[in-house]
Amino acid sequence: MSGSAVLNLIAAIASAVSGLGAAIAAAIMIRLQRRWSSADTLLRVSEVFESVAFRKYKTIIYRLDRNSFSSWNEDEVASVNAWCAHLDIVSS
């Protein structure tokens, strides 16, 4: 084997190792990105539930007599609808 053939072989191996390292790094970054996205989503969901409007909804909902839903006023119905809609979005 000539000297240039050996150098070409070494360069090819180094290139393959470098490519494999880049692929592994990309896979790790994709995995971390998914975790960060999930964490960000969880924080945004909790911010909505802790907002002033949703605290008001929660207070109204917890005071409701669930057996007399036909007599709920407009504010009570709106609170239940907003709360349930948000829960539906979060559970999807």
Side-chain angles (χ1 to χ4, degrees):
M1 220 181 212
S2 70
S4 66
V6 171
L7 288 176
N8 285 339
L9 179 62
I10 291 172
I13 291 172
S15 178
V17 169
S18 174
L20 181 62
I24 291 171
I28 290 171
M29 288 306 297
I30 289 171
R31 190 170 185 186
L32 287 174
Q33 193 85 15
R34 287 182 184 158
R35 286 185 182 169
W36 291 333
S37 178
S38 296
D40 184 51
T41 301
L42 183 60
L43 287 173
R44 282 190 271 154
V45 165
S46 66
E47 285 174 1
V48 171
F49 277 116
E50 292 300 318
S51 69
V52 174
F54 270 80
R55 285 182 184 193
K56 178 184 170 194
Y57 295 155
K58 187 168 117 178
T59 301
I60 291 170
I61 290 169
Y62 286 170
R63 290 181 182 163
L64 288 174
D65 177 8
R66 284 153 180 84
N67 293 325
S68 63
F69 65 89
S70 60
S71 64
W72 291 351
N73 65 38
E74 188 176 317
D75 199 29
E76 292 168 336
V77 171
S79 297
V80 171
N81 288 339
W83 188 268
C84 291
H86 192 66
L87 286 176
D88 186 50
I89 291 169
V90 169
S91 69
S92 299

